Amino acid sequence: MPAERLAIVTGTSSGIGNAVAFQLMSHGWAVIGVSRRDSTIPSPTYRHVKLDLGDLDALTATFENEIAPLISDDRRQRVGLVNNAALIGRLGTIDGTDANEMLRVYAVNVVAPTWLMGFVARHAPRSASLRVVNVSSGAAQRPTPGLGEYVGTKAALRMTTLSAATEFDAKGLRERAPADTALLSYSPGTVDTPMQVEARSPSADQFPAVTMFKGFYDQGQLVSPDQPARDIVAFLESEKAPRVAERRLGEG
Ligand SMILES: NC(=O)c1ccc[n+]([C@@H]2O[C@H](COP(=O)([O-])OP(=O)(O)OC[C@H]3O[C@@H](n4cnc5c(N)ncnc54)[C@H](OP(=O)(O)O)[C@@H]3O)[C@@H](O)[C@H]2O)c1
């Protein structure tokens, strides 16, 4: 693995995360990817961690034991984290909520990315530039019938990103984490991935917002995963970045 630039990208087996991993490697980054499925990325600069992010014991043990030494290598000049993996959760109204399934969606979409932010803050060399992208959604700010689990997790991750950014300026973490740390809450737009297929599959009786998702597809509004991936990679490579920013597809 090349020494200078290393990124952790979750959800590299599909969609946006897969495109981010390929673009980063073509720019000379080493990538550690995470997903439940096996790797489809044959490259000497790619290392795959086959893991269910909802299994928090496995996540924390694997990263502390196997990944921490790679991140903390003094040769790292730039460390990236792209919290991209997410579950769409239950597509249906609140009266059918399964409490344990909902907890699992929050584990994958909120707890794992939050823990990973703290992990890179602890382990990246202080002299390195640290860039974190948390993949958000328009749904973080838009009530959507039948999408409550997903909406709730994206709103939570968005606010956690904004809150964490203030901690990097507070006494304590400011002295421990890389001084050049920047966070981005990023909404990728409507992207042609398996998650969109899931969202337009149920019946309208089950999932009231299904017509909106069918409309995105029918009206040709879905963009290729390469488009948001370009924005994400540009942020990871940015020399000067504000402590925290919120952006949507195409805003750089
Ligand atoms: N597509 C859109 O229009 C859209 C719009 C707004 C926001 N987003 C956001 O963009 C991000 C990427 O979504 P996408 O559209 O590219 O979806 P996708 O094609 O379904 O990819 C999701 C990725 O997350 C991984 N993943 C899911 N659950 C996981 C788990 N428990 N443990 C480990 N990995 C897991 C999947 O891998 P495995 O299945 O192999 O585990 C897959 O690689 C998500 O945060 C999503 O909320 C997407």
Side-chain angles (χ1 to χ4, degrees):
M1 277 198 160
E4 295 84 14
R5 301 192 291 173
L6 175 67
I8 297 169
V9 182
T10 65
T12 48
S13 61
S14 171
I16 298 167
N18 187 262
V20 168
F22 273 104
Q23 288 187 25
L24 283 172
M25 288 185 296
S26 76
H27 288 215
W29 286 70
V31 175
I32 296 169
V34 184
S35 68
R36 291 166 299 183
R37 281 170 282 176
D38 283 322
S39 166
T40 54
I41 305 176
S43 164
T45 59
Y46 179 81
R47 173 172 172 159
H48 193 69
V49 180
K50 189 177 173 184
L51 185 74
D52 183 342
L53 289 163
D55 183 344
L56 298 170
D57 288 337
L59 169 68
T60 53
T62 304
F63 271 72
E64 291 294 0
N65 295 333
E66 296 175 25
I67 309 301
L70 300 176
I71 300 287
S72 59
D73 186 325
D74 278 342
R75 292 170 299 170
R76 307 284 177 225
Q77 293 170 8
R78 190 165 277 267
V79 173
L81 169 65
V82 183
N83 276 316
N84 163 78
L87 292 168
I88 197 166
R90 198 169 161 276
L91 300 175
T93 48
I94 199 165
D95 50 313
T97 299
D98 177 315
N100 283 312
E101 268 308 302
M102 182 175 173
L103 195 55
R104 186 177 146 63
V105 177
Y106 270 79
V108 174
N109 293 12
V110 184
V111 182
T114 302
W115 186 83
L116 282 168
M117 275 198 282
F119 172 83
V120 293
R122 264 186 289 129
H123 290 295
R126 285 214 67 218
S127 56
S129 296
L130 176 60
R131 296 287 180 268
V132 176
V133 179
N134 289 331
V135 179
S136 187
S137 166
Q141 302 187 68
R142 188 181 54 237
T144 308
L147 203 60
E149 285 182 7
Y150 181 79
V151 167
T153 62
K154 289 298 182 184
L157 184 59
R158 170 179 178 263
M159 279 309 294
T160 301
T161 310
L162 301 179
S163 180
T166 65
E167 296 176 8
F168 284 93
D169 289 319
K171 189 159 174 44
L173 187 58
R174 187 181 59 203
E175 284 79 37
R176 295 192 296 270
D180 181 18
T181 295
L183 285 70
L184 176 66
S185 176
Y186 176 74
S187 295
T190 49
V191 192
D192 194 4
T193 70
M195 188 177 274
Q196 282 284 335
V197 177
E198 268 189 84
R200 60 175 184 266
S201 297
S203 71
D205 283 347
Q206 181 199 332
F207 179 40
V210 72
T211 35
M212 178 178 81
F213 286 99
K214 283 183 173 164
F216 292 154
Y217 178 75
D218 292 341
Q219 291 153 28
Q221 289 177 21
L222 302 182
V223 302
S224 152
D226 281 328
Q227 288 193 37
R230 274 195 286 276
D231 287 345
I232 291 170
V233 171
F235 182 79
L236 258 56
E237 297 191 328
S238 58
E239 285 302 330
K240 286 206 165 65
R243 180 68 86 198
V244 67
E246 287 193 89
R247 286 186 205 141
R248 290 182 296 182
L249 177 73
E251 290 181 347

